[in-house]
């Protein structure tokens, strides 16, 4: 396999896998439940990991390159959603008007679950580092990574 395509392929696999690991780590270890737009950012990463994984088992280099490019488009999609979400968090534009909460059970358990469910707002960043929220980091890393993958694929075609 071409070294450039190999780099792009591994990046298309490791970047979304790492970002998903960070998202789930912040959720289950850091105690930051995701809002609706956080979930929207995860779905394209799942798709990218799946496509990049399938590409490892494809023998045809053209098909492998196409799967890696599709994974990069999924990563880019997540990054753009992250950029929109960050804009909502910073108050640059309005986002969703509803919030999310996880509830379960029946009868009295359901009522307790509803009353004790954490309210997760999409317009408030629960965590920042250097003034950048998790959605903002997803925007930066995903769009930058997707551009690097697509650029590498394009450059491998021209060299």
């Amino acid at each position: 396999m071409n070294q450039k395509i190999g780099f792009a392929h591994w990046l298309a696999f490791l970047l979304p896998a790492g970002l998903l690991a960070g998202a789930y780590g912040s959720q289950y270890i850091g105690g930051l439940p995701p809002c609706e737009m956080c979930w929207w950012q995860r779905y394209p990463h799942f798709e990218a990991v799946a496509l990049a994984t399938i590409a490892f088992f494809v023998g045809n280099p053209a098909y492998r390159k196409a799967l890696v490019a599709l994974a990069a488009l999924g990563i880019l999609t997540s990054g753009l959603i992250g950029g929109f979400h960050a804009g909502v968090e910073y108050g640059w534009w309005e986002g969703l008007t509803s919030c999310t909460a996880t509830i379960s059970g029946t009868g009295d358990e359901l009522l307790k679950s509803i009353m004790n469910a954490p309210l997760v707002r999409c317009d408030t960043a629960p965590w920042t580092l250097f003034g950048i929220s998790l959605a903002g980091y997803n925007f930066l890393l995903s769009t930058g990574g997707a551009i690097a993958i697509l650029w590498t694929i394009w450059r491998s075609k021209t060299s």
Side-chain angles (χ1 to χ4, degrees):
M1 181 187 342
N2 180 330
Q3 276 188 328
K4 289 181 182 180
I5 297 302
F7 168 77
H9 188 178
W10 277 104
L11 186 57
F13 175 75
L14 293 174
L15 179 64
L19 289 171
L20 284 169
Y24 280 104
S26 69
Q27 179 180 348
Y28 291 110
I29 298 169
L32 300 174
C35 71
E36 188 68 23
M37 283 195 273
C38 293
W39 279 108
W40 294 354
Q41 293 169 73
R42 292 181 189 189
Y43 299 136
H45 282 312
F46 289 130
E47 171 263 339
V49 169
L51 288 169
T53 300
I54 292 167
F56 282 114
F57 301 100
V58 172
N60 185 318
Y63 291 154
R64 181 179 303 126
K65 194 183 292 190
L67 287 168
V68 171
L70 287 172
L73 293 176
I75 295 166
L76 179 62
T77 300
S78 178
L80 294 176
I81 295 168
F84 176 75
H85 187 188
V88 170
E89 291 173 335
Y90 296 129
W92 296 340
W93 45 75
E94 190 170 327
L96 297 177
T97 57
S98 64
C99 297
T100 61
T102 304
I103 57 171
S104 62
T106 59
D108 288 338
E109 293 172 6
L110 179 61
L111 183 58
K112 272 186 185 175
S113 180
I114 291 171
M115 297 306 290
N116 294 326
L119 186 61
V120 183
R121 296 179 52 104
C122 292
D123 62 350
T124 303
W127 180 91
T128 62
L129 179 64
F130 307 118
I132 302 172
S133 68
L134 289 171
Y137 280 110
N138 183 45
F139 168 74
L140 295 171
L141 293 170
S142 293
T143 54
I147 290 167
I149 294 164
L150 293 170
W151 177 259
T152 302
I153 290 171
W154 184 78
R155 294 290 296 162
S156 73
K157 189 185 289 187
T158 59
S159 58

